[in-house]
Amino acid sequence: MNTELINQIDFNITDLCNRTCAFCPRGNAEIYPNNNENMTLELFNQAMQQIDDERFTGTIIIAGRGESSNNPNFVQFLERLLAPGRRYRTQVTTNGWKLEKWWPWYRQLDNLVLNTYTTEADFEARRAKYPRLDNGERIEDYYKPDGLDIAQINVAADFADPKGSPVRFKHQFNHRGGLIAGGVAVQGPCLHPLRGLFINFTGELQMCCNDWSYQIGFGNVKNENMFKIFEQHTGYREIAKRLMNGDRSVAAPCAACDVPCSAPDVTEHYRKKFR
């Protein structure tokens, strides 16, 4: 299959979070309520079998829109993700909910994105207690203080690369495809549907992790192979092609999206490869 452009597959295994941060849609239950809905282990295993059969070598991410550790079968998800002989890289994104409990599994990952939303003291304490994974990689940890909205966080001082490089970064929170008020839509190329797959807790393959409002879907891994959907679904490929060429009017969440454009050289690479 022509799936070489996909570099990550993101699983949203729960629609529940233990936090309702001010900069997140869940900060307002009328916009995006907490729902205790979870991916089943059977469905996850089915999707992972497709990934193994494809001999996928990109990154499998458990993250999505909720706090993944709220899934009642989270330990079994981690054990399946960390299966011996895997070809793919592994990553979990978490707010550190019950971090000590899950650390024996987290430490085995290729990368852990650890967000601290409480206090700077909590952030520094976590950095000291959980500095590196078993592979020697520095944890990718961030401090994002709850209580600030997106605009306030995005003008905060830049910060050092958690991985230790000399590069410094700016906060770039987005407004979730226009769901949160205040964003300024941008024009230009976007490669999200081509670079990664997003699988919701229902098994539906959705267009983009940033689409929290419309949640446009294209088939379900319960019934179809995710890579065949990517390669053969005409609606998915039409949206991906138009976004790659800078047409963000192709779908409502894209027209309102404030996620920055893809770099010109990367976009050109995808144009040459996409067929």
Side-chain angles (χ1 to χ4, degrees), residues 24-238:
C24 177
R26 295 181 193 277
N28 184 341
E30 294 182 1
I31 295 177
Y32 200 93
N34 254 328
N35 299 303
N36 191 11
E37 299 183 80
N38 301 282
M39 180 178 285
T40 66
L41 183 60
E42 178 183 18
L43 176 56
F44 184 69
N45 285 335
Q46 183 177 344
M48 291 301 296
Q49 187 61 55
Q50 295 177 17
I51 288 166
D52 287 341
D53 290 346
E54 180 65 17
R55 303 176 72 85
F56 181 71
T57 58
T59 302
I60 305 300
I61 303 174
I62 294 182
R65 302 183 180 108
E67 166 54 40
S68 301
S69 60
N70 283 303
N71 187 298
N73 296 308
F74 189 49
V75 64
Q76 287 89 355
F77 278 77
L78 291 174
E79 289 173 345
R80 178 61 181 88
L81 182 70
L82 294 165
R86 59 188 180 276
R87 298 179 182 86
Y88 51 82
R89 287 178 52 81
T90 58
Q91 178 177 307
V92 170
T93 299
T94 177
N95 62 32
W97 178 241
K98 299 182 179 179
L99 179 57
E100 186 170 359
K101 175 181 179 179
W102 301 117
W103 179 245
W105 290 273
Y106 287 164
R107 64 185 298 165
Q108 301 176 55
L109 296 166
D110 293 300
N111 193 43
L112 177 67
V113 178
L114 175 59
N115 295 306
T116 299
Y117 301 129
T118 51
T119 66
E120 195 164 4
D122 288 343
F123 171 68
E124 294 298 344
R126 284 177 167 183
R127 294 209 87 186
K129 188 172 182 179
Y130 304 101
R132 295 186 181 276
L133 304 173
D134 287 352
N135 63 3
E137 282 285 313
R138 186 77 179 80
I139 290 175
E140 193 174 336
D141 45 10
Y142 300 99
Y143 173 49
K144 305 170 183 177
D146 190 8
L148 302 180
D149 61 24
I150 292 174
Q152 291 170 317
I153 287 183
N154 284 354
V155 296
D158 59 7
F159 57 93
D161 178 6
K163 293 289 190 180
S165 80
V167 178
R168 296 188 67 84
F169 296 101
K170 291 288 292 181
H171 292 287
Q172 286 188 322
F173 275 37
N174 69 77
H175 289 73
R176 312 311 200 280
L179 181 59
I180 300 177
V184 178
V186 300
Q187 296 298 319
C190 174
L191 299 175
H192 271 275
L194 284 172
R195 300 180 77 171
L197 305 182
F198 183 89
I199 301 172
N200 204 18
F201 59 88
T202 60
E204 185 178 54
L205 193 155
Q206 296 186 346
M207 177 184 67
C208 179
C209 61
N210 296 306
D211 174 18
W212 285 56
S213 50
Y214 298 89
Q215 297 194 25
I216 299 170
F218 306 91
N220 195 299
V221 297
K222 288 180 182 178
N223 313 310
E224 303 173 73
N225 182 287
M226 69 179 78
F227 299 102
K228 286 186 178 179
I229 297 172
F230 172 84
E231 188 176 48
Q232 299 176 5
H233 195 289
T234 55
Y236 187 95
R237 295 184 70 78
E238 177 63 19

Side-chain angles (χ1 to χ4, degrees), residues 183-191 242-264 267 271:
V184 178
V186 300
Q187 296 298 319
C190 174
L191 299 175
R242 287 176 63 180
L243 285 174
M244 177 178 62
N245 289 305
D247 181 8
R248 295 201 182 198
S249 69
V250 66
C254 305
C257 187
D258 58 342
V259 173
C261 299
S262 302
T267 301
R271 285 187 181 130

